[in-house]
Amino acid sequence: MTEQLRPDGSLRHLLTLESLSRAQIERLLDRSQTYVRPLGERPPRSTALAGLTVANLFTEPSTRTRVSFELAAKRLGAEVVNLEVQLSSRVKGESMLDTVYTLQALHVDALVIRDAEAGVPGLVAGHVAAHVSVLSAGEAHVAHPTQGLLDALTIYQRKQRFAGLAVAIVGDIRHSRVARSAWHALRALGVTDLRLVAPAALMPAAEEFEGCARVRSIAKGIEGVDVVMMLRIQKERFGDADVPDGDKYFAAWGLTPERLALARPGAIVMHPQPMNRGVEIASLVADGPQSVIRDQVRNGVAVRMAVLAEVLGTRGGA
Ligand code: ASP
């Protein structure tokens, strides 16, 4: 695994939350919280990253993550370039590095990378110049570290603790980088009751998610939980697997108000988006009083500001 820390222990790259300590994650969450403002107020701005350039290099579609990385960099005073590239998988590794070297020659200081293939952010991190940082914006089914942080921040804002919480992750866990990064973050932060709730075809392999309970019924899985984290059915990642679609899936696995009533009163509902309304979640729940889905989006910008400030902070302010 590519080393994410500098020799002095500071964060240089963010590729995964898996190897970060509780103290490192808490530090990022505390820093993120300083960038959160109520809607209607102006978001914070600073010149912390003035003179630096951030490139968003996305080979998979994205709306929220790309826009929030862009806003985060701009609100810290950095310049931003956005590249959406389509590369055939045969030439990808090579062309990706050529693109990266080109960006580096253009004085890019941080590369934000989203890619459908496992290993690409790590590959790039292993080849960039010493002053350049690489941030994963979603790597295949493997990791989505800023999403894991924003999910943890959203939970903390509502529950003011991690210890003793019961969290259910529901749906397409097998293909979900969101679930993996949430698990890494919540495990480090002390959540011990983490339930994977999914049909067999969407459960991750047995050797993954060590220590999590596996439940094959949504009603049982969300009973008494404090947090219901719904996931999108990621058809693009599973081809012909035997998963019922549309109405059938909703009937067996959709989060409806009746099912949500089985969770603890005051339980929160999360979804990383994009949502398949009427498939994994009912609109009444997605837009209802227990939903914190829009908080997640707002927190995404704050978390990405914190991460950028953390990895580039000692170099900005020119
Ligand atoms: N937007 C999230 C991701 O990039 C979740 C999803 O696409 O389902 O993984």
Side-chain angles (χ1 to χ4, degrees):
M1 197 193 290
T2 311
E3 182 52 76
Q4 303 192 100
L5 305 182
R6 298 189 181 90
D8 67 0
S10 62
L11 191 68
R12 176 182 169 197
H13 304 299
L14 185 62
L15 310 174
T16 177
L17 301 177
E18 191 170 4
S19 54
L20 296 190
S21 67
R22 178 180 192 143
Q24 285 165 326
I25 293 178
E26 283 175 347
R27 179 185 154 92
L28 287 168
L29 296 182
D30 288 346
R31 196 161 191 173
S32 303
Q33 186 58 43
T34 69
Y35 294 118
V36 176
R37 296 287 183 281
L39 289 184
E41 268 184 32
R42 288 184 193 203
R45 279 187 181 275
S46 91
T47 53
L49 302 190
L52 298 180
T53 305
V54 175
N56 288 319
L57 183 52
F58 281 54
T59 66
E60 246 196 344
S62 167
T63 312
R64 277 155 299 274
T65 306
R66 217 268 297 136
V67 169
S68 62
F69 262 113
E70 178 172 357
L71 288 174
K74 286 181 171 164
R75 287 176 187 167
L76 293 169
E79 282 186 85
V80 180
V81 285
N82 293 310
L83 284 92
E84 272 168 41
V85 280
Q86 305 299 332
L87 300 171
S88 82
S89 52
R90 196 176 56 79
V91 295
K92 181 140 81 185
E94 211 178 307
S95 330
M96 182 64 103
L97 289 180
D98 280 340
T99 308
V100 166
Y101 295 141
T102 301
L103 290 167
Q104 217 167 253
L106 294 169
H107 277 276
V108 160
D109 301 280
L111 285 151
V112 178
I113 296 187
R114 165 169 292 199
D115 196 86
E117 201 178 299
V120 171
L123 171 86
V124 172
H127 285 81
V128 288
H131 66 280
V132 175
S133 291
V134 177
L135 307 178
S136 168
E139 173 189 358
H141 61 284
V142 177
H144 195 349
T146 55
Q147 178 80 40
L149 291 171
L150 77 86
D151 287 341
L153 182 64
T154 305
I155 292 172
Y156 191 76
Q157 285 168 350
R158 295 293 176 137
K159 299 291 168 195
Q160 300 299 315
R161 66 194 166 104
F162 292 106
L165 290 182
V167 178
I169 305 183
V170 184
D172 188 0
I173 302 164
R174 181 187 289 250
H175 304 101
S176 178
R177 54 196 177 206
V178 173
R180 286 175 178 80
S181 285
W183 174 58
H184 294 148
L186 296 178
R187 180 185 55 172
L189 292 163
V191 173
T192 50
D193 185 354
L194 196 56
R195 308 176 194 174
L196 309 182
V197 183
L202 300 180
M203 270 296 178
E207 60 277 14
E208 286 196 275
F209 289 88
E210 199 195 328
C212 295
R214 292 170 183 242
V215 190
R216 299 268 179 79
S217 139
I218 184 166
K220 283 211 186 86
I222 66 177
E223 204 180 323
V225 298
D226 302 281
V227 177
V228 185
M229 189 180 282
M230 300 304 296
L231 298 172
R232 179 174 68 91
I233 297 291
Q234 302 192 53
K235 289 222 177 68
E236 76 278 19
R237 295 198 208 284
F238 62 69
D240 293 333
D242 189 18
V243 179
D245 44 50
D247 294 350
K248 271 202 201 144
Y249 184 87
F250 186 69
W253 290 97
L255 185 61
T256 57
E258 296 72 33
R259 286 177 175 150
L260 180 57
L262 300 168
R264 193 168 282 175
I268 55 171
V269 176
M270 307 173 71
H271 193 301
Q273 304 199 71
M275 279 184 275
N276 295 307
R277 289 170 180 263
V279 179
E280 68 254 359
I281 190 166
S283 280
L284 274 174
V285 174
D287 304 324
Q290 287 166 269
S291 168
V292 294
I293 294 170
R294 286 171 205 148
D295 292 10
Q296 289 174 271
V297 179
R298 179 200 58 190
N299 289 334
V301 185
V303 159
R304 288 161 185 136
M305 287 177 82
V307 170
L308 284 165
E310 189 80 14
V311 298
L312 295 178
T314 52
R315 302 192 45 234

